[in-house]
Amino acid sequence: MKNRFQDPKFCVSITAPNTSKLISDVNSAFKSGAHLAEVRLDSLNSFSLDKIQELSDVHKNKLIFTFRAKHQGGLSSISEPDRLQILIKLLDIKNSIKDIESDTFNKNYSLFKNEKNLIISWHNFKSTPSTNSLESLIKNISKKLTHPKQIIKIVTYANSLNDCNKVFNLYSRFEKSKFQLLAFCMGETGSITRILSPVLGAPFIYCFSGNKAVAPGQIKLDTLSEIYSNFA
């Protein structure tokens, strides 16, 4: 097996209250060594698509834009129809990656199916279903994928190390698939899955830069770099 500890890719998650803070945080993340940045648009008080396009042009193909739904941990209280309209408009943002929830993808498949740089996300904030259940979920999503660059992202909550192993087992089951799998667990116990997922095939790792994690169990970029330096 290739030693993927040697070249893991870091994706810093960013929640900012306004566009100026967002731009500052994105620039800071890349200066700190991030390869990608996840931009949580649902954290912004307001934003213009022109500003988002400008930011995307500066950091070509390095930004992941998402506007997370409230029931999926989103920070905005806008209506679902309004949120969907934002997601549709994001498809016009060039040189970027978009992340949408699996239920949104399924309900609006015709709108999103041709987006090559797409992450389809599924979250469980309380527990981790069985490996077989997660496998069935991934297979159902994968049937609708149209491009090998598209990523299926599965995120569960680990209440035990056994939960972590359920997620680890997914990688061998989809090792030869035509899509990319990104699966890990939230929570303190789940932190180990964030560290080891690139070894099993995850395209990158979510982390944070600064003083506050965006999600439970997220590890600071500097800490991850130190961990991986031991395996170089």
Side-chain angles (χ1 to χ4, degrees):
M1 178 183 291
K2 178 184 177 182
N3 183 8
R4 293 192 179 95
F5 272 131
Q6 292 180 349
D7 56 358
K9 290 186 177 181
F10 305 130
C11 177
V12 170
S13 299
I14 296 173
T15 55
N18 53 62
T19 304
S20 60
K21 184 66 165 63
L22 170 61
I23 293 172
S24 175
D25 287 352
V26 167
N27 290 335
S28 177
F30 287 120
K31 287 179 180 178
S32 298
H35 302 87
L36 300 163
E38 177 194 37
V39 177
R40 288 284 302 273
L41 295 172
D42 51 290
S43 71
L44 295 171
N45 295 327
S46 64
F47 64 89
S48 72
L49 290 176
D50 288 340
K51 287 290 184 182
I52 297 303
Q53 183 62 71
E54 288 176 13
L55 189 61
S56 184
D57 289 340
V58 172
H59 304 286
K60 291 185 177 181
N61 301 312
K62 292 183 178 181
L63 298 181
I64 301 171
F65 292 113
T66 186
F67 199 110
R68 194 64 71 209
K70 190 72 174 178
H71 73 281
Q72 290 278 312
L75 302 173
S76 174
S77 298
I78 69 170
S79 68
E80 183 58 21
D82 287 343
R83 190 185 75 91
L84 179 60
Q85 288 305 308
I86 291 174
L87 293 176
I88 293 172
K89 291 177 181 178
L90 283 177
L91 294 176
D92 294 328
I93 302 297
K94 300 176 182 178
N95 306 314
S96 66
I97 303 165
K98 292 82 177 180
D99 180 329
I100 62 172
E101 301 83 355
S102 59
D103 57 346
T104 302
F105 177 70
N106 289 331
K107 291 176 183 177
N108 304 278
Y109 175 66
S110 61
L111 298 174
F112 299 108
K113 65 178 181 178
N114 294 321
E115 178 60 37
K116 295 180 180 179
N117 296 314
L118 187 67
I119 299 174
I120 300 95
S121 297
W122 183 88
H123 297 79
N124 185 321
F125 293 92
K126 295 182 178 180
S127 62
T128 300
S130 68
T131 301
N132 286 340
S133 294
L134 292 173
E135 180 182 13
S136 296
L137 172 69
I138 294 169
K139 285 182 176 179
N140 287 334
I141 297 174
S142 68
K143 291 176 182 177
K144 295 187 175 182
L145 300 186
T146 59
H147 197 278
K149 281 188 176 182
Q150 293 173 330
I151 297 172
I152 295 178
K153 174 183 164 188
I154 301 295
V155 187
T156 67
Y157 193 92
N159 293 295
S160 68
L161 286 176
N162 184 53
D163 285 341
C164 297
N165 200 41
K166 293 176 187 175
V167 170
F168 286 147
N169 286 333
L170 292 172
Y171 284 97
S172 60
R173 298 192 183 192
F174 293 97
E175 188 174 9
K176 297 181 179 180
S177 298
K178 294 182 179 180
F179 60 88
Q180 299 180 75
L181 176 64
L182 175 56
F184 59 91
C185 299
M186 294 179 284
E188 185 176 349
T189 301
S191 292
I192 188 65
T193 63
R194 296 178 183 269
I195 296 171
L196 295 180
S197 58
V199 181
L200 298 172
F204 54 84
I205 314 151
Y206 288 93
C207 55
F208 73 97
S209 179
N211 299 317
K212 186 178 180 182
V214 173
Q218 222 173 41
I219 304 169
K220 195 169 184 177
L221 189 154
D222 292 346
T223 302
L224 281 174
S225 296
E226 291 177 10
I227 291 172
Y228 292 128
S229 68
N230 294 304
F231 299 90

